[in-house]
Amino acid sequence: MVLEALEQEGVDLIFGYPGGANLPIYQRLPDHPKLRHILVRHEQGAAHMADGYARACGRPGVVFATSGPGALNLVTGLCTAYMDSVPMIAITGQVNSAQVGRDAFQESDVIGATSSVTKHSYLVTNIAQLPRVIHEAFHIAATGRPGPVLIDICKDVQMAEAERPARQRVDIPGYQLNGHVKLDQAGLAATALAKAERPVILAGHGVILSHAEQALLDLAEKAGTPVGTTLLGIGSFPVNHPLSLHMTGFMGTGWCLKAVQNADVLMMVGMRVDDRVTARLADFAPKATTFIHVDIDGSEMGKNVRPHIELVADARQALEAMLPGIDSVDEGRGRWLAQIDAWREDHPLRYTHSNGHLQPQDVLIDMYKRCRSEAVVVADVGQNQIWAALWWNYDRPGLFINSGGAGTMGFALPAAIGAKFALPDVPVWCVAGEGGFVMTAQELSVAVEHQLDIKIVLLNNFSLGMVRQFQDDFYGGVRSQVDLTHMPDFVKLADAYGLPGVRVEKLADVGPAMDAAERTRGPFLIDFRIDPEANVYPIVPLGKSLNDFWEAPVGE
Amino acid sequence: MSDRPLPPGSPRDHDAGAPKEPLPTSPRGGEDRLRVLSVLVEDNSGTLSKVSGLIRRRGFHVRAISIGPSREPGRFRMTLEVDAGHAEADQVLKQLERLVDVVEVEDLTDHDVHSRELVVARVAVSEVSALVDKGARVLDTGPTWTTIEFAGEGEEVGGFVDELRRHGILDVVRSGPVVMRRTAS
């Protein structure tokens, strides 16, 4: 019954791991050749693969896990998807319904453990509920603000037989998609933007999720308004566009932060305005007299910044509603854009090239030349993530995948595997630090088993780099528990898993190693031994305002 | 922008700014953080824990709660008194609306409502006519005690309980409020 319902939803791929409480489902799996199942090596890997799959192709990723530890191993992956609004369906086995609550073997309260990291969850104790629940779950996961939905199915229900009822239209009284749409202030928002002296638009993940990038480009050009993106909004606006401010937030570009802090009208689209975007909240955009917030989730209005004008709608719908209201823009706009150009000149992205060490930016710049705008880059969390975000001119959505809200180390490799399954013809590059990489490195087996063509760029600095940088800069220089000298030889590790790998310590060897990676069909790992003291810049010191960003030292 | 310091952790509030034109929303600030919400929920497994878990996770605090069947089968009506904590007060309602099991939420804080609470108390006296005159009802009596009930608005019930203390309370239980708009909507 479960598998038929999944087929009906158009599922073709499942990432999972069998165990005692979901064996009835696995027993039937061979009868459903259309459902391809990928056996992971740890359930967390399954969740991140489903996440990467969903981010790459837009369809919900599907995960199977057994009860107890199997289901609980999904929690980090569910949280990662929940924080970043990624559609996912997790189907977990639960003990027999008569055993629930008796502390049966491998029983755990999965609904209780996951309700704060899922959009919704179901406990299924009766076969009659099942087809409706699965149909509803896909609807909830993929519509509105997407998110993970968990279905916990008791083992006796998995074994039960029932007539399959005709599919019914989804009708969930507590989930009305258009119930909260509010676009009556679209004209007002357009006027505010057009009449502003110093307007700025910030674009988040919602722009990508709603395919609003064209509407955003049209609006920005028509209103002569510069656009910065959040970390997850990268790709929603082309970085090489003259109006681009690149990335905002506490590791955003200097010219973007200057623009935000001097804006008189700030429009925030499809974003949560979280602490990584605002830095010290009381000093966020202090000159703004009008905040415009566009989000599909009404609870984001005023959660962190109270907007004067709010549009509760899908970003594309909202931006398209604003477009006709933009007529003549303020005559001071040219001065504002010239000012931003001056800031771009004064605060460029820069790094130290020649201190004898291999620099992470050197590696990434070489990689990106090969990617052009055709490859998907999946980053882990930490310095590698911010370098990967800042050092390329992403010109369209879908090219950069990373864990933004949850900041989950170990995300990159399994998410890259999921992305490759979703987009088999697109090159996929995985960028990770050695710390995060070893957290889920067991999934290399999956990449090898399926000969997935994934290039793994390990930026190995022998330490937890971002933590080390924070300790150096903000915690009195006390380096505490960040040393990762004792790590596997990653080339040997790759060999042990059955994939080729090379080590690179010098700039001159970067190109040849990348050539070898590109020539190889199937997974390939490069262990780049980078400058252990390399830092992420710009950065806003913890607790400070966006005005106080530090820049890379001016080098040679 | 305002020089007024914001309370620690409070959302950025722009009410003291000087907008060039009148703005459509009047940002709120400083209002009472206690919200009274009437919530219609589906009777699904875990609905109560999802509602209470959300309230805790978002930094709110439940001051009083009452739950009972609604007029629609399979749905329950919850009345909640919630302290919004450091969040904007309207976040309580907005976050509850996001729950799929929540069919309807209404913020009744500033509305004209019937609000009733129930108290049942056992007092160490047998003569309670003064309490009965105030509207209490005798449920049963023993040789040295009387069990009474009283219903009223929160303040009335509070005053009634204060009065009971003078009689010597042996035991007391008190419900959260149930609240209904005075006018049919």
Side-chain angles (χ1 to χ4, degrees):
Chain A
M1 183 72 101
V2 175
L3 299 171
E4 280 100 5
L6 292 180
E7 277 178 346
Q8 214 165 40
E9 298 299 329
V11 172
D12 54 5
L13 201 63
I14 299 159
F15 303 96
Y17 208 96
N22 65 359
L23 285 174
I25 296 176
Y26 276 89
Q27 185 185 1
R28 302 283 176 80
L29 197 56
D31 304 334
H32 296 268
K34 275 191 270 178
L35 295 174
R36 184 176 181 201
H37 182 276
I38 306 303
L39 176 65
V40 300
R41 300 303 187 263
H42 186 291
E43 289 88 352
Q44 184 185 349
H48 293 325
M49 285 179 207
D51 183 321
Y53 173 89
R55 291 189 209 225
C57 71
R59 294 192 298 276
V62 180
V63 178
F64 283 179
T66 189
S67 63
L72 294 177
N73 279 342
L74 298 177
V75 173
T76 304
L78 289 168
C79 177
T80 306
Y82 181 70
M83 289 293 275
D84 290 351
S85 307
V86 176
M88 187 189 295
I89 301 288
I91 295 180
T92 50
Q94 182 55 277
V95 299
N96 284 322
S97 53
Q99 287 179 316
V100 167
R102 296 172 191 252
D103 293 336
F105 176 65
Q106 290 192 330
E107 182 188 354
S108 69
D109 173 16
V110 176
I111 301 283
T114 60
S115 58
S116 67
V117 292
T118 48
K119 186 172 172 185
H120 191 46
S121 53
Y122 296 92
L123 173 65
V124 182
T125 54
N126 187 320
I127 185 76
Q129 301 164 281
L130 199 53
R132 173 186 59 83
V133 162
I134 290 183
H135 192 38
E136 280 185 12
F138 274 85
H139 175 70
I140 291 171
T143 56
R145 178 177 178 173
V149 177
L150 181 134
I151 310 171
D152 199 27
I153 308 177
C154 289
K155 193 173 176 183
D156 50 322
V157 175
Q158 298 169 32
M159 292 187 281
E161 298 288 344
E163 280 293 304
R164 196 136 51 92
R167 200 161 139 136
Q168 291 179 339
R169 204 172 57 84
V170 174
D171 178 27
I172 313 165
Y175 185 72
Q176 299 297 331
L177 276 177
N178 296 315
H180 302 293
V181 168
K182 191 165 161 266
L183 280 172
D184 54 310
Q185 295 181 347
L188 204 63
T191 308
L193 204 60
K195 291 208 171 135
E197 281 174 30
R198 304 180 310 278
V200 167
I201 297 173
L202 295 179
H205 196 200
V207 173
I208 296 174
L209 288 170
S210 67
H211 306 285
E213 62 273 11
Q214 188 59 47
L216 176 64
L217 187 66
D218 292 346
L219 185 78
E221 289 180 345
K222 203 170 171 192
T225 301
V227 180
T229 74
T230 66
L231 178 64
L232 285 178
I234 281 181
S236 63
F237 194 80
V239 173
N240 50 12
H241 191 284
L243 288 171
S244 170
L245 301 170
H246 207 331
M247 189 172 86
T248 193
F250 94 132
M251 294 178 188
T253 63
W255 67 95
C256 185
L257 302 189
K258 286 273 182 191
V260 168
Q261 293 301 86
N262 286 284
D264 63 343
V265 173
L266 184 66
M267 176 160 131
M268 305 163 294
V269 189
M271 54 186 277
R272 302 177 290 130
V273 203
D274 82 335
D275 57 304
R276 287 306 198 245
V277 161
T278 63
R280 191 166 65 210
L281 194 56
D283 296 322
F284 175 61
K287 295 180 183 168
T289 51
T290 304
F291 283 81
I292 305 168
H293 196 172
V294 178
D295 203 279
I296 197 166
D297 183 348
S299 75
E300 295 300 345
M301 302 295 144
K303 189 176 81 180
N304 295 321
V305 171
R306 169 74 54 188
H308 302 94
I309 300 174
E310 53 184 63
L311 307 184
V312 181
D314 170 273
R316 187 166 74 180
Q317 207 182 349
L319 296 178
E320 286 174 352
M322 281 179 66
L323 267 170
I326 308 277
D327 31 43
S328 58
V329 301
D330 183 82
E331 56 193 21
R333 195 58 53 85
R335 281 199 305 279
W336 173 234
L337 297 178
Q339 172 65 70
I340 288 170
D341 287 339
W343 284 326
R344 193 184 280 113
E345 292 281 311
D346 292 346
H347 305 280
L349 290 173
R350 58 180 179 236
Y351 67 100
T352 306
H353 292 266
S354 55
N355 62 0
H357 290 284
L358 181 60
Q359 296 304 314
Q361 293 90 343
D362 290 327
V363 175
L364 293 173
I365 288 167
D366 185 287
M367 178 187 85
Y368 282 126
K369 279 182 194 149
R370 296 159 191 271
C371 292
R372 294 179 298 278
S373 284
E374 289 153 22
V376 171
V377 173
V378 184
D380 211 71
V381 166
Q383 290 180 319
N384 66 85
Q385 176 184 28
I386 303 301
W387 288 322
L390 286 177
W391 286 90
W392 181 244
N393 296 330
Y394 295 97
D395 59 8
R396 61 180 173 85
L399 298 175
F400 185 55
I401 290 174
N402 72 119
S403 162
T408 303
M409 286 174 70
F411 173 79
L413 175 64
I417 290 171
K420 187 69 191 176
F421 275 116
L423 305 170
D425 302 326
V426 173
V428 173
W429 292 73
C430 166
V431 176
E434 78 283 9
F437 182 73
V438 296
M439 288 189 176
T440 52
Q442 74 285 346
E443 306 304 336
L444 283 172
S445 294
V446 176
V448 172
E449 178 181 348
H450 299 278
Q451 277 303 299
L452 299 174
D453 199 0
I454 296 171
K455 318 302 178 198
I456 301 161
V457 171
L458 206 58
L459 299 176
N460 184 354
N461 59 3
F462 299 95
S463 73
L464 291 173
M466 187 70 94
V467 180
R468 191 265 307 146
Q469 180 177 351
F470 276 35
Q471 290 181 346
D472 284 354
D473 290 347
F474 314 134
Y475 291 89
V478 179
R479 290 193 178 183
S480 176
Q481 302 298 314
V482 289
D483 179 79
L484 290 180
T485 309
H486 292 282
M487 282 295 231
D489 176 325
F490 287 102
V491 176
K492 285 186 181 163
L493 183 79
D495 187 49
Y497 275 103
L499 68 149
V502 295
R503 178 176 307 128
V504 172
E505 293 174 273
K506 296 198 302 286
L507 182 57
D509 297 334
V510 172
M514 294 284 198
D515 289 343
E518 284 199 304
R519 273 198 310 272
T520 305
R521 308 206 22 118
F524 193 94
L525 182 146
I526 312 175
D527 175 18
F528 290 103
R529 302 283 177 94
I530 61 162
D531 182 356
E533 303 292 322
N535 281 345
V536 161
Y537 292 111
I539 189 167
V540 174
L542 298 177
K544 297 284 188 166
S545 97
L546 291 179
N547 291 321
D548 302 323
F549 64 90
W550 294 359
E551 295 183 86
V554 181
E556 64 296 359
Chain B
M1 275 301 26
S2 161
D3 296 318
R4 178 174 57 85
L6 290 155
S10 80
R12 205 30 221 291
D13 196 333
H14 304 285
D15 56 353
K20 287 175 290 190
E21 298 165 32
L23 289 160
T25 54
S26 58
R28 295 184 275 175
E31 78 266 63
D32 191 357
R33 304 221 151 258
L34 208 60
R35 311 308 292 177
V36 178
L37 301 166
S38 182
V39 189
L40 187 66
V41 298
E42 302 281 7
D43 177 25
N44 287 338
S45 98
T47 297
L48 175 60
S49 82
K50 282 176 184 172
V51 169
S52 61
L54 175 133
I55 288 171
R56 173 193 56 75
R57 184 167 76 88
R58 293 287 175 183
F60 316 139
H61 178 59
V62 177
R63 302 283 293 268
I65 183 170
S66 65
I67 309 171
S70 73
R71 76 192 155 94
E72 297 166 63
R75 288 184 179 167
F76 279 69
R77 172 72 61 183
M78 304 173 79
T79 308
L80 289 164
E81 242 179 52
V82 183
D83 184 334
H86 64 256
E88 290 283 274
D90 65 356
Q91 275 290 305
V92 183
L93 176 132
K94 287 177 171 176
Q95 292 295 339
L96 282 169
E97 275 178 338
R98 297 175 79 207
L99 292 179
V100 174
D101 287 333
V102 169
V103 181
E104 189 182 283
V105 197
E106 202 179 5
D107 189 335
L108 295 175
T109 312
D110 300 319
H111 287 84
D112 194 14
V113 292
H114 293 294
S115 175
R116 311 297 286 173
E117 290 180 27
L118 177 69
V119 61
V120 176
R122 188 170 296 128
V123 286
V125 289
S126 47
E127 172 45 52
V128 292
S129 58
L131 297 172
V132 171
D133 289 346
K134 289 186 190 303
R137 205 163 71 87
V138 175
L139 297 178
D140 68 355
T141 55
T144 56
W145 47 263
T146 309
T147 311
I148 52 172
E149 70 168 5
F150 177 81
E153 298 219 351
E155 277 182 27
E156 286 179 83
V157 172
F160 184 79
V161 172
D162 287 342
E163 175 145 356
L164 290 183
R165 289 185 210 286
R166 291 206 300 275
H167 296 279
I169 297 176
L170 298 173
D171 201 0
V172 63
V173 289
R174 191 170 162 178
S175 76
V178 288
V179 177
M180 183 191 276
R181 279 176 181 273
R182 275 183 192 273
T183 48
S185 54

